[in-house]
Amino acid sequence: MTAAPVGLPGPRSEEPIRVPLRKVLADGRWALGFTWRTAPAPAALLVASELVKSLVPAGLTVAFGGLVDAASAAVASGPGADPRRVLAWVGAALGLSVLGGLTKIAERHAGRRLLDELEVRLTGEILEHAASLDVACFEDPASLDLLERARRDPAASFHLFLLNALHVLGDGLQGFTLAVVLAVVEPWLLIPLVVLALPYGLFQWRTAARRYGQETRYTTRRRWSQYFVQLLTRAPGVTEIKLLDLGPLLLERFRAVASQFRDESTRILWRSSVVGAVFVVLSSVALFSVLAHLGLRVLAGQATVGSLVVFAGAAARLRAVVEETLATLGSALERGLFIQNLRAFLALGPRLQPGGGRPVAIEGAADVELAGVTFTYPGAGKPALKDVSLHIRPGETVALVGENGAGKTTLVRLIARIYDADSGRVLFGGTDVKELDAADLRRNIAWVLQDFLRFEATAEENLAFGDWRRLLGNRREIEELARHTGVAPLIESLPAGYDTWLGNMFGRQDLSAGQWQRLAIARALARPAPLLILDEPTASLDVRAEEELFRRFRELAAGRTAILVSHRFSTVAMADRVVVLSEGRVAESGSHEELLRRGGLYAELYRLNERMR
Ligand SMILES: Nc1ncnc2c1ncn2[C@@H]1O[C@H](COP(=O)(O)OP(=O)(O)OP(=O)(O)O)[C@@H](O)[C@H]1O
Ligand SMILES: [Mg+2]
């Protein structure tokens, strides 16, 4: 049985992603600037300790060489020789050794501080940016992929990039100083090392690009498999998954994606380890050949024992440093590609044209008008709304009726400028919504969404979120709102009343679907907005709750314009006027009685409904 996800973009090849060096360097500069602005003190300490740490090995090698030569000279000059030179070299080695140890501690300290600071700032910026994006970005797989990659442990990735980049610099400096020390003793060891290092460095670059390519190609599938992990592990999905016995199928699909990723990863890993091993063997052979040659020169009296000590220490270290530097460079590049993705995400702009920024100036109820509006969702084959014209006068209550997919929710979304119409105009209070400040426009609309949220928060907060700037922490007003909207008895019956933590992620008090919906309606009514939109507000309500809403509706909607989207004729009856949508067009409009008399789509739907009763 194959568990390949149908229709998902899958990994096509293992080819590395092409990344221009210029871009990597620009991203690196940006990352350093960001770090500096975030935490200058830890960043400075980190750089300083890395620099000092990288100079210590060459210094120690020289000190040991000096010590051996000073000791040999003292031995040669016989008993009573002056020990001061020997002691001076020991002192130098001691100082360097302590310095090396201290810089490691300083490095760890600064690194941890930097990580903590980055966590706060970077994750904060990612969330802030996500909050500034249009809904359209969250309904588009490509920007969701960018978000997914940016949000996966951003601080750790960023931090790793910085540490790796810093280690490359530090190791590079260490390698350079060791090379200088070696060049004094035996310059031509450097030639084979450089000849070997160049292709190895290039290989590391390709491996990094390959790994990143893998990450990129798999993002959609990973998101998809994460989705199944969520279905299997999150409370709302679990019941349905159990009833459908979908566990084994979802698990199999998860494993299929995870093991595909693992297999490709293993291939890249093997290749990288084998090439790394070849580099280690070849560079060691080169090193020890030169060491043997130098040993012969010491025996022939052409070089000192100290120079042999310096060479052996410096050359072994240099070989390791070159190998480490190049491998770290590979990791830095891989992480650098993460930075590239992060920047691409942060550069995602709003899809909607910036609004005119005019504040909404409406006294009382809103006048809402759609004039010849046509709209197609991005990527959709056919328009969701076609040439819709509709004028809702201040204080009027209009019911939007129509079959599933007719375009009712889309229509109200355009009023709140969740999307912009492709053609035609949407006017709010007589002004084109494109000229208004979008945030202000939305503040002037109270809305119960068809797929409203169930906030894992207290009952009080579940209401206060409807107008949090005014209501949060204001218990008296919340209680008044609850009484006014009829949810007070429900909240008072909860174990801790208004303080009861709802939902079962953090609390223990879940509500029924209808109880949640009643809270959502009350939340929408919390805001004294000139337009009230209720999208399927009664779908889960029992007869008594629906009757109560019906009874109170006039009072609740008093002084506002209201749009009611509903399939229930009992709810529709609350409206002054009914507008029937069919396949994205306004099919009919009029009062309940008028439409019944006309005998069109509304009358047909009504008759069907009556027949079922
Ligand atoms: N986010 C979206 N992206 C792409 N297409 C969408 C999106 N939302 C809705 N559609 C499509 O737009 C059309 C209208 O959908 P809409 O949600 O407005 O219908 P509706 O009248 O509210 O239906 P229902 O009664 O089921 O709530 C449908 O064909 C639907 O497939
Ligand atoms: Mg809908």
Side-chain angles (χ1 to χ4, degrees):
M1 180 166 41
T2 168
V6 185
L8 276 181
R12 281 173 299 279
S13 72
E14 261 182 62
E15 268 315 288
I17 290 217
R18 291 199 142 295
V19 201
L21 182 61
R22 208 162 28 84
K23 178 126 192 46
V24 174
L25 292 177
D27 290 338
R29 262 202 311 279
W30 176 85
L32 292 181
F34 185 91
T35 311
W36 188 253
R37 288 193 301 279
T38 303
L45 181 60
L46 197 62
V47 173
S49 47
E50 182 69 32
L51 288 183
V52 174
K53 195 184 76 179
S54 59
L55 294 175
V56 167
L60 271 179
T61 311
V62 171
F64 287 142
L67 178 62
V68 170
D69 280 345
S72 317
V75 169
S77 68
D82 184 0
R84 272 182 304 184
R85 279 198 60 203
V86 171
L87 289 179
W89 281 118
V90 170
L94 168 73
L96 284 167
S97 169
V98 169
L99 193 63
L102 289 182
T103 50
K104 276 194 185 146
I105 292 176
E107 192 188 11
R108 270 202 300 275
H109 177 90
R112 183 71 226 185
R113 285 265 300 108
L114 197 59
L115 179 63
D116 292 344
E117 295 288 344
L118 280 171
E119 180 74 48
V120 176
R121 168 103 189 244
L122 195 59
T123 312
E125 290 217 355
I126 290 172
L127 293 180
E128 192 180 347
H129 189 67
S132 77
L133 292 175
D134 298 328
V135 173
C137 281
F138 297 88
E139 295 184 345
D140 163 48
S143 41
L144 281 178
D145 280 357
L146 270 182
L147 173 62
E148 166 73 13
R149 289 197 294 272
R151 140 187 110 161
R152 192 158 346 122
D153 242 349
S157 291
F158 199 95
H159 185 244
L160 253 181
F161 165 75
L162 290 172
L163 287 190
N164 283 333
L166 204 58
H167 284 154
V168 169
L169 285 185
D171 286 353
L173 184 65
Q174 191 182 130
F176 177 75
T177 49
L178 287 169
V180 169
V181 170
L182 274 180
V184 173
V185 183
E186 202 58 76
W188 49 273
L189 166 74
L190 300 179
I191 296 166
L193 217 52
V194 170
V195 168
L196 288 170
L198 281 179
Y200 188 53
L202 209 63
F203 172 77
Q204 290 291 356
W205 169 276
R206 279 182 69 80
T207 304
R210 199 166 257 132
R211 285 228 173 86
Y212 186 73
Q214 186 198 16
E215 277 290 335
T216 309
R217 282 192 306 275
Y218 273 87
T219 310
T220 310
R221 289 188 169 218
R222 260 193 175 339
R223 226 161 25 82
W224 177 83
S225 69
Q226 280 309 313
Y227 165 67
F228 285 120
V229 170
Q230 271 180 24
L231 281 184
L232 283 170
T233 53
R234 289 259 172 94
V238 162
T239 314
E240 193 158 353
I241 303 292
K242 285 248 175 300
L243 292 173
L244 295 172
D245 191 26
L246 276 180
L249 176 69
L250 299 186
L251 257 179
E252 196 201 336
R253 292 190 160 187
F254 168 78
R255 287 201 178 106
V257 171
S259 48
Q260 245 180 344
F261 189 83
R262 178 207 53 206
D263 293 347
E264 191 174 323
S265 196
T266 308
R267 269 196 298 280
I268 297 175
L269 189 65
W270 265 111
R271 203 175 321 186
S272 145
S273 301
V274 167
V275 175
V278 169
F279 177 78
V280 167
V281 171
L282 291 183
S283 55
S284 300
V285 168
L287 160 71
F288 280 88
S289 314
V290 181
L291 190 62
H293 172 76
L294 189 64
L296 293 177
R297 286 185 51 204
V298 171
L299 288 183
Q302 291 163 347
T304 65
V305 180
S307 69
L308 190 65
V309 170
V310 170
F311 182 86
R317 183 85 202 120
L318 179 62
R319 194 206 52 72
V321 163
V322 170
E323 205 272 326
E324 273 166 30
T325 309
L326 293 178
T328 317
L329 184 68
S331 307
L333 289 173
E334 197 182 327
R335 296 294 142 193
L337 295 172
F338 161 82
I339 305 278
Q340 184 186 325
N341 176 80
L342 177 65
R343 290 184 80 190
F345 170 71
L346 291 178
L348 273 183
R351 305 269 171 113
L352 300 177
Q353 294 293 320
R358 277 171 59 179
V360 173
I362 293 181
E363 299 281 336
D367 180 284
V368 179
E369 185 172 2
L370 283 85
V373 167
T374 297
F375 171 71
T376 308
Y377 280 101
K382 61 181 181 55
L385 292 179
K386 291 171 225 160
D387 194 22
V388 171
S389 292
L390 173 65
H391 188 187
I392 306 174
R393 280 170 284 278
E396 196 182 8
T397 296
V398 164
L400 274 186
V401 178
E403 291 163 80
N404 293 135
K408 305 179 295 294
T409 299
T410 306
L411 191 153
V412 290
R413 287 178 110 196
L414 292 193
I415 297 173
R417 212 170 169 232
I418 301 297
Y419 283 90
D420 272 338
D422 305 331
S423 61
R425 300 205 314 153
V426 179
L427 304 162
F428 189 80
T431 312
D432 193 320
V433 288
K434 288 183 188 166
E435 286 169 24
L436 294 171
D437 178 85
D440 199 33
L441 168 66
R442 289 171 200 145
R443 272 195 292 274
N444 277 279
I445 300 174
W447 198 333
V448 181
L449 274 79
Q450 189 169 14
D451 47 357
F452 59 87
L453 273 177
R454 302 170 176 202
F455 289 105
E456 300 271 342
T458 61
E460 174 175 344
E461 284 181 326
N462 259 283
L463 295 191
F465 287 170
D467 193 3
W468 63 270
R469 288 187 174 85
R470 186 170 63 87
L471 292 180
L472 217 50
N474 192 340
R475 172 65 68 88
R476 222 172 37 81
E477 289 244 9
I478 302 253
E479 286 179 2
E480 174 57 34
L481 170 71
R483 267 195 300 279
H484 188 57
T485 53
V487 291
L490 162 66
I491 295 180
E492 281 155 15
S493 73
L494 296 169
Y498 287 84
D499 295 321
T500 311
W501 198 283
L502 301 182
N504 44 23
M505 268 173 84
F506 310 102
R508 294 184 157 270
Q509 184 65 51
D510 206 351
L511 297 180
S512 74
Q515 289 169 330
W516 277 114
Q517 186 156 32
R518 292 175 63 188
L519 286 189
I521 295 171
R523 178 163 64 234
L525 293 167
R527 191 183 288 199
L531 174 64
L532 178 61
I533 296 175
L534 304 178
D535 195 349
E536 283 299 348
T538 48
S540 305
L541 297 192
D542 63 33
V543 183
R544 201 185 300 280
E546 193 181 357
E547 192 273 334
E548 189 178 345
L549 180 66
F550 186 85
R551 204 157 25 80
R552 289 176 187 248
F553 186 77
R554 285 280 150 207
E555 184 194 340
L556 295 171
R560 323 176 188 219
T561 306
I563 301 177
L564 281 169
V565 180
S566 186
H567 295 294
R568 289 209 194 180
F569 286 90
S570 46
T571 309
V572 172
M574 293 191 257
D576 304 319
R577 180 156 61 112
V578 181
V579 173
V580 185
L581 283 184
S582 172
E583 296 185 6
R585 291 183 191 278
V586 176
E588 297 171 305
S589 166
S591 71
H592 173 74
E593 287 74 22
E594 279 168 11
L595 293 179
L596 282 188
R597 275 200 300 276
R598 192 176 296 171
L601 180 59
Y602 183 78
E604 183 193 339
L605 294 174
Y606 186 75
R607 269 200 312 278
L608 275 176
N609 185 60
E610 287 294 293
R611 205 178 307 151
M612 285 184 337
R613 295 212 309 189

